[in-house]
Amino acid sequence: MAKDEFKEFRLVGTRPDRPDGLDKVTGRARYGADISAPGMLWGAVVRSPHAHARIVSIDTSRAEALEGVKAVVTRADFPTGLTGEDWDLQENTMAGERALYDGHAVAAVAATSKLRAEEAARLIDVTYEVLPHVIDVDDAIKPDAPVIREGAADATVPEGMPPNVVRYMEFGHGNVEAGFAEADLVREGHYKTEATHQGYIEPHACLGQLGGDGKGEMWVCTQGQWFIRKMCAGVLGLDAAQLRVTPSEIGGGFGGKTTIFMEPLSLALSRKAGGKPVKIVMTRSEVLRATGPTASASMDVRIGMKKDGTLTAARAEFRMQGGAFPGSPVDMALYCAFAPYKLDHVAHVGYDVLANRPKCAAYRAPGSPMGAFAVESLIDEMCRELGLDPMEVRLKNAVREGDRASYGPKFASIGLVETLEATRAHPNLAEPLGPNQGRGVASGYWFNHNGETSVSLAISEDGTAQVSIGTPDIGGSRASIALMTAETLGIPYEDVRVNVVETGALGVNEPTHGSRATFASGKAAVLAAGQAITEMCRRAAAEWGIEPEAVEWVDGAAQPAGPNAGKFPPMSIAEIAGKMGETGGPISGHHESVPEGVGASFGCHVVDVEVDPETGRVTILRYLVVQDAGRAIHPAYVEGQYQGGAAQGIGWALNEAYIYDDKGRLQNPVFLDYRVPVASDLPMIDTVIVEVPNPGHPYGVRGVGETGITPPLPAIANAIQDATGARLRALPMNPPAVLAALKAARGA
Amino acid sequence: MSKIHVTTTVNGDPVEFLADPRETLLDCLRDHLGLTGSKEGCGTGDCGACSVTLDDRLVCSCLVLGVEAEGRRVDTIEGMADADGLHPLQRKFIEHAALQCGFCTPGLLVAAKALLVQNPDPTEEEVRYGLAGNLCRCTGYDKIVRAVMDAAAEMRQEAA
């Protein structure tokens, strides 16, 4: 559909109550830990207190002797011979020869009560031989660094690299040296970001059951029930189809619930306990120590700029550790780093590095915030040095449709220029600033993933519709999919019920990740509705005795298409549905594909801060998020994504960080010390939804979930410099770090 | 450890349960009484997802022992709506899209209700400080603060 074919919609763009709202304000909604089963056991996990240690022995006898203990499992209870990601997942689920990080699971127990399981876990005696460890990414590539795993490097790593480098990449285009030679100013900077956690408020929880016949079921809070199925089956050597996985309501994920942690343990314990269901609920400390935070990064960026602000060349070299396994998002960080800029000469180099930390998982726009922190900070510094307006420089170099992206392909329809223009026009930029106050601007980018998608729609006997989707609803996607389905069918929003279903009910679906749910499940639902409409037109045509092609669907009814088709009164969806038994049976629609036509999303944030020169505390005075949504199906939940992303980015910028002691033990595994923003830390977060419709989606949707976490890191650093003259190049910018930077700036 | 018989009142109804003395009030509500609306997000009193009132005082039920409920009055999210319908805060949370994943919502609603009992006409800042003990990771709090202020305004109008 071309842009100019968009018209005013009846429902798309409105803000109805979400379908699951009532359940969620009354406490009825059932999350991961809210389900119990008859005969259920409780599981508890024994975790390594060491960052790196050889497991000499595990003595389970005292635990097994405790009354009420029904099963104990260690790595010996898992199949051997796995390779690749299956092995990584298994090794992360349950340590083998060595514990690789503080919190790594080494054994698990199931008992008749939660307290008994915890007591039994304390009775498992593990003897460790502590090994040297490494936490920091730069330390991990030093010549004398402890080696996490010999031979872990893949084929991309050239000979002679340090052994903890497991993946290496180089890409770009043009000739950066020639580009730097064209510049009036070439600057480079070194930046570091610490690991942060998604910080979803719901700890991981599951209720797993597995019989000796290899058939099992699981209730689990997850972003993707098919991922849970595939990964658990891989780790335990099961047939995927024999495991039915039902997603609970999910209490936040942000990427961290797209993989497995203790889920296979509940199944392994259940099998050993004769098939009794086993519930495992993580504590907050387990979540922070042993699930998947994001990577930490060490980054070097070099940029060339002309006096008028034109960028001539850019080079980025990023090193990221993603824990004791390959998979840090260094590739994505590099793809996004220069994405907002038209560059003829650009080069990227990336190192994926192992360290003694938990296996990182996705966290909202994985990698992009770190890269943006480095690049957007340096561009801001160069604008200051040349006396240029950072908004104008961003507009001058902004990519447009047809431009080659810094990471290779040509951009399809994008809305960066429109986003920057809307930002420049916003009244927040005209607000006066007082002493110790400053303003910072930054852009951000994230992709829109498609992924395997399967959706079924069925028309009920009364003409209402049910839609079965496979992407869990984390932030209101039931509402957006109901809106699009109702719009397409020409029926009221309230006549559509969207159900998130278990793995037995649909073909494979990727999780709610990659900003894809409203795009991919939404597009599939619209196409499924189109199939149902075709069938309803066919039924009407048969009754009227005309060709199906002579029937069109208008406002929820079949009608003859034009005067030549014949003269019949419209036949409503309720009328057609009411007699479907006599006219050919059930009416449904189905769509499955990897939907084409994803639309990337750019954003621009403007933040005003005040820096207390005595304490170094940074207060957010004003915050603006401007982002291209393509088309906002339910604008309130689009705003919610923008605001939530900004708040997480603010936390990452100012406070949040994994803090390790010299033994490699996490020092802040509770919310008191891993401090995420609270209501009194933040102002209202202003939003502008830019709509440059994505031609690849029937209603123009772009994925909006992730871009919003990217700009806050550099925007706040830029604002602090504006307020104080001090430039911070490492996160978090907490009071001690800001005070040190103020002191250094005064001394300079 | 032998269990202790606890008699208490939850959402106006008399209830009894057997509590291990180590179990929290949250454990007892969820695992013995089936009231799973109160959530455990941290177990250390930092997130507020388990907020309930104990004799009208807002508490983190993860920091109260189940046996401490003896003879007291506990009110949870499950008691917030009555036969006449939702509490204005519940309605306004839906109307303002003040929830995304919804996990923090029960605790926030209980805490907001307690706040409005103490202060029926709070400023934005008072709402922000009043709810600073309840973590929400999805919304950035903007729509939550608006929903609470809107509900407060409506409740003041009804009371007038």
Side-chain angles (χ1 to χ4, degrees):
Chain A
M1 195 184 285
K3 275 183 215 173
D4 57 2
E5 286 174 37
F6 283 96
K7 56 180 174 75
E8 282 303 303
F9 296 109
R10 182 172 54 92
L11 295 170
V12 163
T14 61
R15 301 173 178 240
D17 290 352
R18 63 191 285 169
D20 50 336
L22 186 59
D23 284 350
K24 287 179 175 167
V25 300
T26 52
R28 278 207 304 266
R30 292 177 303 175
Y31 293 82
D34 295 343
I35 286 284
S36 295
M40 182 182 89
L41 304 174
W42 288 82
V45 181
V46 181
R47 297 184 181 279
S48 168
H50 305 295
H52 196 190
R54 194 169 71 82
I55 298 168
V56 178
S57 65
I58 303 174
D59 181 355
T60 60
S61 57
R62 287 199 302 149
E64 281 164 351
L66 186 71
E67 266 189 338
V69 171
K70 301 296 181 188
V72 179
V73 295
T74 65
R75 184 64 173 274
D77 294 282
F78 288 76
T80 56
L82 273 55
T83 56
E85 180 68 2
D86 277 346
W87 184 86
D88 288 348
L89 287 167
Q90 188 185 54
E91 179 79 359
N92 190 45
T93 292
M94 184 67 92
E97 292 170 9
R98 286 180 297 150
L100 298 169
Y101 55 89
D102 169 34
H104 198 170
V106 295
V109 301
T112 49
S113 76
K114 189 155 79 174
L115 288 166
R116 205 167 284 263
E118 286 164 3
E119 193 181 338
R122 286 192 291 272
L123 293 174
I124 292 179
D125 299 306
V126 186
T127 307
Y128 298 97
E129 176 195 336
V130 176
L131 301 171
H133 71 275
V134 63
I135 293 294
D136 179 75
V137 63
D138 290 322
D139 291 344
I141 52 178
K142 285 180 181 161
D144 57 344
V147 179
I148 310 300
R149 189 158 48 255
E150 293 285 359
D154 72 12
T156 61
V157 182
E159 285 283 321
M161 288 254 175
N164 289 329
V165 176
V166 291
R167 210 157 41 107
Y168 175 80
M169 63 212 66
E170 272 180 34
F171 59 93
H173 54 253
N175 177 339
V176 286
E177 290 314 318
F180 288 129
E182 289 170 26
D184 295 313
L185 180 69
V186 178
R187 286 285 178 261
E188 52 188 71
H190 176 65
Y191 302 86
K192 285 194 94 160
T193 61
E194 195 28 86
T196 55
H197 196 275
Q198 298 83 353
Y200 32 81
I201 311 299
E202 182 197 27
H204 296 256
C206 70
L207 175 58
Q209 184 274 325
L210 181 62
D213 56 0
K215 291 187 173 65
E217 299 200 359
M218 177 171 284
W219 164 270
V220 58
C221 63
T222 179
Q223 290 173 246
Q225 52 274 43
W226 281 269
F227 265 30
I228 293 279
R229 184 180 76 165
K230 175 178 70 174
M231 293 174 181
C232 284
V235 162
L236 293 164
L238 306 172
D239 293 335
Q242 298 300 335
L243 186 60
R244 270 176 72 189
V245 180
T246 304
S248 69
E249 290 302 322
I250 172 171
F254 313 108
K257 290 177 182 167
T258 56
T259 185
I260 51 167
F261 298 105
M262 76 305 168
E263 291 84 358
L265 304 183
S266 82
L267 293 173
L269 287 165
S270 173
R271 183 168 54 186
K272 215 166 173 183
K276 287 188 169 68
V278 176
K279 180 165 167 173
I280 302 182
V281 182
M282 278 193 174
T283 63
R284 176 55 49 183
S285 156
E286 287 181 293
V287 171
L288 288 165
R289 287 169 71 207
T291 63
T294 191
S296 66
S298 163
M299 302 171 285
D300 292 300
V301 178
R302 183 175 165 89
I303 290 173
M305 190 185 276
K306 288 190 173 173
K307 279 179 186 155
D308 68 354
T310 305
L311 297 176
T312 63
R315 183 179 187 279
E317 183 168 328
F318 292 177
R319 297 158 294 274
M320 287 191 183
Q321 70 71 32
F325 300 88
S328 79
V330 64
D331 42 3
M332 306 309 284
L334 289 167
Y335 297 156
C336 296
F338 299 115
Y341 303 103
K342 187 166 158 45
L343 284 164
D344 294 331
H345 308 289
V346 60
H348 309 80
V349 179
Y351 301 78
D352 182 9
V353 180
L354 301 188
N356 291 112
R357 302 214 204 187
K359 186 179 193 295
C360 80
Y363 179 17
R364 204 169 201 154
S368 188
M370 300 85 138
F373 176 61
V375 170
E376 295 291 289
S377 291
L378 186 57
I379 286 180
D380 189 76
E381 281 194 84
M382 295 172 76
C383 290
R384 281 172 206 284
E385 192 168 344
L386 292 173
L388 300 167
D389 176 348
M391 285 304 306
E392 297 306 323
V393 168
R394 283 180 171 78
L395 263 167
K396 191 179 197 71
N397 294 284
V399 284
R400 295 160 190 267
E401 182 168 353
D403 284 343
R404 186 176 187 184
S406 56
Y407 55 92
K410 277 197 169 151
F411 277 116
S413 161
I414 49 172
L416 176 59
V417 170
E418 292 83 347
T419 299
L420 292 170
E421 283 171 348
T423 309
R424 193 170 56 173
H426 195 275
N428 278 20
L429 276 79
E431 290 284 337
L433 293 169
N436 300 315
Q437 297 183 352
R439 178 163 298 148
V441 175
S443 297
Y445 176 69
W446 188 249
F447 304 88
N448 185 185
H449 182 58
N450 45 11
E452 294 145 340
T453 306
S454 173
V455 165
S456 280
L457 175 147
I459 306 295
S460 310
E461 301 88 325
D462 58 359
T464 59
Q466 69 177 49
V467 185
S468 299
I469 61 168
T471 44
D473 178 359
I474 318 183
S477 55
R478 283 186 185 93
S480 64
I481 288 165
L483 280 165
M484 289 184 276
T485 305
E487 182 84 50
T488 306
L489 289 172
I491 60 177
Y493 166 74
E494 294 75 15
D495 282 4
V496 178
R497 174 157 182 160
V498 178
N499 298 312
V500 180
V501 300
E502 49 113 345
T503 53
L506 283 176
V508 170
N509 275 273
E510 271 194 33
T512 298
H513 68 167
S515 297
R516 77 178 210 96
T518 297
F519 169 80
S521 285
K523 183 169 180 175
V526 169
L527 293 170
Q531 259 187 14
I533 287 171
T534 302
E535 177 61 17
M536 290 189 284
C537 288
R538 201 184 64 75
R539 304 269 172 114
E543 185 161 330
W544 291 331
I546 64 175
E547 290 299 313
E549 294 73 31
V551 177
E552 61 181 2
W553 190 260
V554 178
D555 295 336
Q559 66 178 36
N564 296 336
K567 208 165 160 57
F568 304 99
M571 195 182 294
S572 74
I573 190 169
E575 197 181 334
I576 296 168
K579 52 192 173 192
M580 64 182 161
E582 299 92 67
T583 60
I587 298 171
S588 62
H590 185 77
H591 181 82
E592 53 201 3
S593 69
V594 177
E596 298 288 325
V598 289
S601 180
F602 283 96
C604 184
H605 292 198
V606 182
V607 59
D608 292 353
V609 303
E610 179 167 330
V611 182
D612 183 334
E614 301 298 318
T615 64
R617 181 191 155 91
V618 176
T619 302
I620 307 290
L621 301 173
R622 222 168 272 113
Y623 204 99
L624 170 65
V625 180
V626 184
Q627 191 182 321
D628 178 15
R631 171 88 58 195
I633 303 300
H634 191 306
Y637 288 101
V638 172
E639 291 161 3
Q641 289 298 315
Y642 292 4
Q643 292 165 334
Q648 282 186 318
I650 291 167
W652 196 342
L654 294 180
N655 267 311
E656 295 175 38
Y658 267 44
I659 302 168
Y660 287 93
D661 69 6
D662 60 2
K663 293 190 171 65
R665 293 174 184 174
L666 186 63
Q667 294 300 288
N668 56 337
V670 289
F671 271 143
L672 185 65
D673 300 322
Y674 185 89
R675 194 181 178 291
V676 307
V678 303
S680 53
D681 291 333
L682 298 175
M684 291 298 185
I685 297 172
D686 303 322
T687 58
V688 176
I689 300 174
V690 175
E691 293 188 309
V692 178
N694 169 20
H697 184 278
Y699 292 107
V701 167
R702 294 176 193 279
V704 297
E706 294 171 275
T707 303
I709 196 174
T710 292
L713 286 59
I716 292 170
N718 297 345
I720 292 172
Q721 180 170 21
D722 194 46
T724 67
R727 169 58 61 172
L728 283 94
R729 296 187 183 85
L731 298 182
M733 300 178 283
N734 56 20
V738 172
L739 267 187
L742 291 178
K743 202 174 159 193
R746 280 186 211 118
Chain B
M1 208 168 280
S2 64
K3 292 196 170 183
I4 294 172
H5 181 254
V6 177
T7 304
T8 183
T9 302
V10 178
N11 299 325
D13 297 324
V15 298
E16 297 169 65
F17 55 86
L18 290 176
D20 184 295
R22 296 168 294 180
E23 283 176 319
T24 66
L25 175 58
L26 178 62
D27 293 331
C28 294
L29 288 170
R30 291 179 54 85
D31 298 334
H32 300 324
L33 300 176
L35 295 173
T36 55
S38 307
K39 306 299 181 193
E40 179 162 323
C42 67
T44 50
D46 298 315
C47 81
C50 65
S51 297
V52 302
T53 56
L54 191 59
D55 291 341
D56 295 323
R57 183 180 164 201
L58 182 66
V59 296
C60 287
S61 61
C62 75
L63 297 184
V64 176
L65 290 171
V67 295
E68 291 181 82
E70 175 69 37
R72 314 275 290 274
R73 192 161 44 76
V74 183
D75 286 285
T76 74
I77 185 64
E78 285 91 348
M80 199 157 166
D82 60 26
D84 298 331
L86 296 178
H87 188 278
L89 279 162
Q90 292 172 306
R91 267 193 293 106
K92 292 297 180 187
F93 263 56
I94 298 176
E95 204 178 299
H96 284 265
L99 57 144
Q100 286 179 32
C101 81
F103 192 78
C104 71
T105 306
L108 266 159
L109 285 166
V110 169
K113 187 181 169 191
L115 170 69
L116 297 187
V117 168
Q118 285 192 340
N119 182 356
D121 190 8
T123 62
E124 179 192 330
E125 193 175 14
E126 286 168 341
V127 172
R128 288 186 179 278
Y129 278 89
L131 299 179
N134 291 78
L135 299 181
C136 168
R137 190 61 159 170
C138 295
T139 65
Y141 304 102
D142 182 301
K143 292 179 190 302
I144 291 172
V145 174
R146 290 177 200 277
V148 172
M149 297 193 66
D150 194 16
E154 185 184 296
M155 289 163 70
R156 287 195 303 276
Q157 210 158 31
E158 275 171 14

